[in-house]
Amino acid sequence: MDTQKEEFLKEFGQDYGYPNAPKNIDDIRASEFKRLGDVVYLDHAGATLYSELQMEAIIKDLTTNVYGNPHSQSESSLATSEVVRAARQLVLDYCNASPKDYKCVFTSGATAALKLVGEAFPWRRESSFMYTMENHNSVLGIKEYALNQGAMAFAIDIEELENYSGLPRRDASSIKVSRYSVQRRNEAPVQEAPEGNIYNLFAFPSECNFSGRKFSLDLVKIIKEDSERVLEGPPHNKGCWMVLIDAAKGCTTQPPDLASFPADFVVISFYKIFGYPTGLGALIVHTEAAKLLKKTYFSGGTVAASIPDIDFIKRREGFEESFEDGTQSFLSIASIHHGFRIIHSLTASAIARHTSSLATFVRNMLLALRHENGASVCILYGMHGAKVPKHKFGPTVTFNLKHPDGSWVGYREVEKLASLSGIQLRTGCFCNPGACMKYLGLSHMDILLNVEAGHICWDDYDILRGKPIGAVRISFGYMSTFEDARKFISFVVKYFVSKPNATATQHLSLEESLSLSKTGVLNSLSTVGIYVRSITVYPIKSCAGFSVDSWPLSNSGLLHDREWILKSPNGEILTQKKVPEMCVISTFIDLNQGVLLVESPHCKEKLQINLESDSYGVKEEMVLHAQRYEVQGYDNEVDMWFTNAICRPCTLLRFSSSEDPCYMNKCNTGTCRDVESRLNFVNEAQFLLVSQESVSELNSRLMINMQKSSNGQPIHVDPMRFRPNLVISGAEPFAEDCWRELRIGNKCFTSLGGCNRCQMINIDHHTGKAQRSKEPLATLASFRRLKGKITFGILLRYEKSEMVGSIEDSTSLLQVGERVYPVSNQL
């Protein structure tokens, strides 16, 4: 055993590894998670992993027994009903809830359980919906029901206080509540004078899925029994308070003890606990609260009788039966028996201790990391001070990284590099906007500007106006190991902790090569002989381009370059990143005939589009990369051709405005570099230039890495893998990094810096298949990173002295073979 693990076990040995269970952690990983191999999976807060033993038991169960629709009296139906009854009891037992006091309703997930509460809760104008800022969107969605019924809604922050002794208090004096503004809807229906009791709802997570912070379950009794003291006066203390616990995340390691903390509603999700099945959750409801829920819709299974041609229904009397619409997902319900069997063999408390030991170790290691200049590498969220109070956190660690100069590392770059290193983690805001705003210091205006800039969940934006708009989250599950945690820390140290500069030029990082280029070590080359090797135009964004010997320039770059895009029915712009098949759609523009020709191996006929045709669809506006475009579509025949070509519905759109696209906010332009020029549907700039010598250097490194790998497959990339407009030859490898501007013939261009690369370059453009070796991006990451970005090639802006004239104007043509005259940056 190595020294680091020995030190870890000295501190956490009693908690780590299930020493009292039938199998320890090493046996569990070796026998039940063989499929992981070298993969480090650290997204258990998103979805934990199912055990192979668990799945074997499920398959045996389903292939041995006959389960029928439970809405019948046959033997197979009765067998199913018994399995469902036993499953309800398992759920109640897991939360220490007596079947006399609680009911268990199966739903399609935790979100559906929360939606059910919102729909059926007895809202009135005098009611309040109170919720902590750190709540999942699925909880925040409940306020739509409250506001639409005229009730008020407001968020709170809760600070848990302690006695001088450090021991927790368990009454209203133990918390400090800060309230945000009250929300109401003026258009909500006006109700008659209130009759009966007023009911309010308070919702909080047992564990925040953003920060991992645990909320004290004492809040249940405090809010229910002492709300007047906590909320300090009217109008929020009127009526009876009911409490909802979102335990979808917390249940994975610490299910709420409902005998001690009698919440009215608890929602859980089974795939968060033991991986399988997905699409199944549960709503646990106190029997007194169940009497108040009013359900409108009825379906098969929820009514005893109904008459279709008159207003008559008789609902079933059982609470579970009346709230489970349609046929239950009974095979999934049967599967949870086997998941709980594994959890019980380890025990929830042992899982909590095991995962907490790993999370605490990682938090301590991240806090200790320092750059060479002494600056902190990592900012952890949810903590106050440097001490890690492990009893207040679940097995989740959320953070952002910083460069030595204090600037932020983009979380998408962390995710990209982690994936290349075989580490699976999660980035973003995790559908928890309140926690994201709270911990990242984002204001309402920040959020609105980010949306205006085109930012949505799961996109490539990570830093806007100098602020991170999300974070990196790792989370541990019952099968996680010390080795997983250590590999993650090693990954952070390797890629994000600054170290003394290397002395051998063959191991230079991008920062070092740039520095040496400026001092002349690598920039001693003569620029004589640099020329344009090839020119490529890409008419349709992400589809294949075509090479030319010469091509006209326009005020947006190469004439017709990325003038068309494909869009899905839901409005998503399609690219090779999600639709690799686009790379085998070939294109060609015949300027003499004025046509765009398109071919696909999936379509028998070529498609011919007239460049001057008026037969477009209706004009519309769209937003891409913070720019507003005017576009026009085509007829159904064209759209059907592309739908067949990529095997999914899509429409073809062409940038049609004669005016420049306008930025909605010039100060907030997302990832776009060129905010001065007219752009077609490009990500960052008008041109991408790649050097043939830089590609050759990359191939040399790929060959070396392949030889070092025991099972490496030869990988050779050509310049077209990077989708450049211009390929040059005659310069030293990566000399282009230091070019401030360049002249090609008599045409001038400004360099906007290196092009940030992503997994798209791992797609073989000849076959449309991603390389499983994760190359060449993995090799580029080893020596081409600058402030977290993996760069290759440079972006250019065309500096025209006057508006470009007709395409016959020879001064507006770029030609293969033209000389390139670069001007390098000076120190």
Side-chain angles (χ1 to χ4, degrees):
M1 187 183 302
D2 60 81
T3 303
Q4 191 178 36
K5 187 167 185 179
E6 285 181 355
E7 292 297 319
F8 170 81
L9 292 177
K10 283 181 182 178
E11 183 175 359
F12 300 106
Q14 293 185 346
D15 296 330
Y16 174 78
Y18 314 111
N20 299 318
K23 290 183 180 179
N24 64 31
I25 184 61
D26 294 328
D27 292 335
I28 290 172
R29 278 294 286 267
S31 62
E32 299 183 30
F33 294 90
K34 297 185 290 292
R35 67 188 186 278
L36 278 176
D38 294 330
V39 172
V40 176
Y41 184 85
L42 297 176
D43 187 26
H44 297 274
T48 199
L49 300 175
Y50 51 80
S51 156
E52 289 151 26
L53 181 65
Q54 171 190 352
M55 298 307 296
E56 290 172 5
I58 290 170
I59 295 300
K60 183 177 180 181
D61 184 356
L62 298 184
T63 55
T64 303
N65 297 296
V66 179
Y67 296 121
N69 190 312
H71 298 162
S72 183
Q73 293 297 312
S74 67
E75 287 187 10
S76 60
S77 298
L78 292 175
T80 301
S81 297
E82 175 56 25
V83 166
V84 172
R85 183 207 63 76
R88 293 192 208 278
Q89 189 60 51
L90 278 173
V91 175
L92 294 178
D93 290 343
Y94 191 62
C95 295
N96 196 23
S98 167
K100 294 181 180 179
D101 298 325
Y102 284 92
K103 304 296 181 183
C104 172
V105 174
F106 287 114
T107 63
S108 63
T111 295
L114 292 163
K115 183 171 182 283
L116 192 157
V117 173
E119 289 176 336
F121 194 82
W123 302 109
R124 287 176 27 183
R125 187 165 183 80
E126 295 76 21
S127 297
S128 295
F129 175 47
M130 179 172 70
Y131 49 91
T132 57
M133 276 291 282
E134 296 179 58
N135 255 310
H136 196 278
N137 267 329
S138 297
V139 174
L140 301 185
I142 293 176
K143 74 177 181 178
E144 293 298 301
Y145 293 106
L147 294 173
N148 284 340
Q149 292 300 315
M152 69 183 75
F154 59 96
I156 63 171
D157 266 332
I158 293 178
E159 181 182 355
E160 296 179 30
L161 308 175
E162 294 181 343
N163 289 319
Y164 292 113
S165 63
L167 297 175
R169 294 178 289 185
R170 301 185 181 279
D171 55 28
S173 66
S174 68
I175 64 171
K176 178 182 177 182
V177 173
S178 302
R179 285 186 289 182
Y180 292 80
S181 58
V182 172
Q183 306 160 58
R184 272 200 188 275
R185 289 213 174 125
N186 294 329
E187 68 273 16
V190 177
Q191 299 172 333
E192 297 180 358
E195 296 181 3
N197 292 330
I198 298 169
Y199 293 99
N200 310 299
L201 182 63
F202 169 56
F204 73 99
S206 58
E207 181 185 318
C208 174
N209 77 308
F210 183 98
S211 65
R213 172 193 174 189
K214 292 180 181 178
F215 284 79
S216 172
L217 296 184
D218 290 316
L219 287 170
V220 175
K221 291 183 177 180
I222 291 171
I223 296 297
K224 290 173 72 70
E225 298 173 4
D226 209 357
S227 61
E228 290 189 20
R229 183 174 176 182
V230 172
L231 299 178
E232 298 178 350
H236 314 303
N237 59 2
K238 291 182 179 180
C240 173
W241 279 93
M242 309 185 80
V243 178
L244 180 154
I245 300 176
D246 176 10
K249 173 63 181 74
C251 245
T252 60
T253 55
Q254 192 172 0
D257 182 349
L258 295 181
S260 301
F261 306 101
D264 299 283
F265 310 100
V266 176
V267 300
I268 65 175
S269 180
F270 296 107
Y271 78 97
K272 304 276 189 180
I273 303 173
F274 36 71
Y276 183 90
T278 59
L280 184 68
L283 172 65
I284 303 173
V285 185
H286 196 283
T287 52
E288 294 302 312
K291 298 174 184 177
L292 302 174
L293 297 184
K294 304 298 181 184
K295 192 165 181 290
T296 301
Y297 178 76
F298 73 88
S299 66
T302 63
V303 291
S306 68
I307 301 177
D309 57 340
I310 63 172
D311 184 9
F312 172 81
I313 59 168
K314 179 176 176 55
R315 297 180 184 271
R316 290 187 178 273
E317 295 182 0
F319 179 76
E320 297 96 334
E321 293 175 321
S322 63
F323 274 81
E324 291 176 342
D325 289 321
T327 302
Q328 303 145 320
S329 182
F330 56 88
L331 296 182
S332 292
I333 293 172
S335 299
I336 71 174
H337 290 261
H338 306 287
F340 274 122
R341 184 172 295 127
I342 287 179
I343 299 301
H344 291 156
S345 71
L346 301 174
T347 74
S349 60
I351 292 172
R353 293 193 302 272
H354 171 79
T355 54
S356 177
S357 70
L358 294 171
T360 303
F361 167 74
V362 168
R363 288 191 192 99
N364 289 334
M365 294 294 290
L366 289 175
L367 285 174
L369 292 178
R370 292 290 184 274
H371 288 294
E372 188 184 12
N373 64 359
S376 295
V377 173
C378 182
I379 301 296
L380 293 179
Y381 297 119
M383 295 176 51
H384 301 285
K387 186 178 180 181
V388 180
K390 64 179 182 179
H391 65 282
K392 289 189 176 180
F393 284 88
T396 297
V397 184
T398 305
F399 59 93
N400 270 313
L401 300 174
K402 283 194 164 187
H403 297 293
D405 63 1
S407 61
W408 295 100
V409 175
Y411 60 79
R412 283 288 291 118
E413 294 302 318
V414 179
E415 184 177 33
K416 183 196 306 182
L417 290 166
S419 180
L420 292 172
S421 302
I423 298 173
Q424 307 300 310
L425 46 75
R426 180 72 59 93
T427 64
C429 271
F430 324 117
C431 297
N432 196 324
C436 202
M437 292 175 64
K438 175 179 177 179
Y439 292 118
L440 301 179
L442 299 175
S443 65
H444 293 164
M445 185 56 67
D446 288 327
I447 301 298
L448 294 174
L449 289 175
N450 292 345
V451 172
E452 193 176 75
H455 169 55
I456 58 173
C457 293
W458 313 325
D459 65 18
D460 287 334
Y461 295 104
D462 51 19
I463 297 175
L464 292 175
R465 300 183 313 281
K467 287 184 179 180
I469 56 176
V472 182
R473 184 185 74 185
I474 65 168
S475 47
F476 295 97
Y478 76 82
M479 74 299 296
S480 298
T481 65
F482 169 77
E483 286 70 26
D484 291 335
R486 180 166 57 185
K487 285 180 183 177
F488 172 74
I489 294 297
S490 298
F491 155 74
V492 173
V493 170
K494 176 181 178 180
Y495 285 107
F496 301 104
V497 179
S498 66
K499 310 170 190 68
N501 286 341
T503 56
T505 58
Q506 64 268 29
H507 299 298
L508 291 179
S509 66
L510 181 53
E511 294 95 329
E512 294 161 340
S513 64
L514 283 171
S515 176
L516 289 174
S517 294
K518 291 177 181 179
T519 59
V521 174
L522 293 180
N523 204 31
S524 59
L525 63 129
S526 168
T527 58
V528 174
I530 304 177
Y531 65 95
V532 176
R533 183 185 180 101
S534 68
I535 300 171
T536 306
V537 184
Y538 304 91
I540 305 174
K541 183 179 178 68
S542 263
C543 292
F546 62 97
S547 296
V548 293
D549 293 329
S550 64
W551 197 255
L553 288 168
S554 72
N555 59 0
S556 59
L558 291 172
L559 185 66
H560 300 308
D561 186 57
R562 283 159 292 191
E563 198 168 298
W564 290 263
I565 55 169
L566 293 179
K567 187 176 78 168
S568 72
N570 65 5
E572 179 185 15
I573 304 304
L574 300 179
T575 66
Q576 284 186 29
K577 192 179 293 185
K578 291 188 176 180
V579 191
E581 298 85 356
M582 292 179 70
C583 74
V584 297
I585 297 177
S586 62
T587 59
F588 178 73
I589 290 178
D590 188 325
L591 292 176
N592 293 324
Q593 297 187 26
V595 294
L596 166 64
L597 300 170
V598 192
E599 289 186 82
S600 167
H602 300 294
C603 300
K604 293 182 179 178
E605 304 292 333
K606 289 184 182 180
L607 181 65
Q608 181 171 305
I609 297 175
N610 191 330
L611 298 180
E612 305 301 326
S613 173
D614 296 327
S615 60
Y616 296 126
V618 179
K619 286 187 177 181
E620 61 178 282
E621 280 195 348
M622 62 171 291
V623 175
L624 178 65
H625 303 303
Q627 288 190 105
R628 185 177 287 113
Y629 293 84
E630 185 178 273
V631 298
Q632 285 186 303
Y634 290 84
D635 56 30
N636 289 335
E637 183 179 350
V638 171
D639 291 340
M640 185 55 64
W641 190 95
F642 281 99
T643 294
N644 294 331
I646 65 172
C647 303
R648 66 177 68 192
C650 65
T651 57
L652 181 71
L653 297 175
R654 183 183 186 183
F655 176 39
S656 64
S657 175
S658 59
E659 300 178 359
D660 290 354
C662 63
Y663 282 100
M664 297 180 294
N665 186 333
K666 283 264 186 177
C667 298
N668 194 18
T669 55
T671 60
C672 187
R673 307 272 191 94
D674 191 352
V675 298
E676 304 297 330
S677 306
R678 174 181 173 179
L679 301 177
N680 286 343
F681 297 116
V682 297
N683 291 347
E684 299 187 90
Q686 293 177 335
F687 296 87
L688 170 62
L689 179 147
V690 164
S691 161
Q692 178 64 54
E693 285 71 24
S694 299
V695 175
S696 297
E697 172 67 16
L698 171 59
N699 279 316
S700 297
R701 291 174 180 263
L702 286 168
M703 180 63 68
I704 292 171
N705 291 343
M706 183 273 293
Q707 291 171 350
K708 290 180 180 179
S709 174
S710 59
N711 58 350
Q713 297 295 320
I715 295 174
H716 182 88
V717 298
D718 62 48
M720 291 302 103
R721 179 71 71 95
F722 302 95
R723 295 179 62 82
N725 296 112
L726 306 175
V727 178
I728 61 161
S729 188
E732 289 290 318
F734 305 113
E736 65 274 14
D737 292 337
C738 298
W739 294 349
R740 183 176 72 249
E741 56 190 51
L742 63 147
R743 184 163 53 88
I744 302 177
N746 60 358
K747 294 160 286 292
C748 297
F749 300 82
T750 296
S751 172
L752 303 176
C755 179
N756 186 26
R757 313 312 312 210
C758 67
Q759 286 90 341
M760 209 167 107
I761 65 173
N762 289 340
I763 298 173
D764 185 337
H765 60 281
H766 295 298
T767 64
K769 295 181 180 179
Q771 299 289 328
R772 292 191 177 185
S773 65
K774 301 177 182 177
E775 295 290 5
L777 191 60
T779 293
L780 282 176
S782 68
F783 76 108
R784 293 290 303 168
R785 289 181 59 244
L786 180 62
K787 291 190 174 181
K789 308 292 185 183
I790 306 171
T791 64
F792 192 85
I794 59 172
L795 301 167
L796 300 178
R797 178 176 63 226
Y798 175 39
E799 301 292 353
K800 44 198 177 300
S801 57
E802 57 185 20
M803 290 299 293
V804 175
S806 66
I807 63 174
E808 289 80 18
D809 184 357
S810 62
T811 62
S812 67
L813 286 174
L814 272 182
Q815 300 186 53
V816 171
E818 282 191 292
R819 289 277 300 277
V820 177
Y821 303 93
V823 177
S824 296
N825 289 310
Q826 301 298 318
L827 283 174

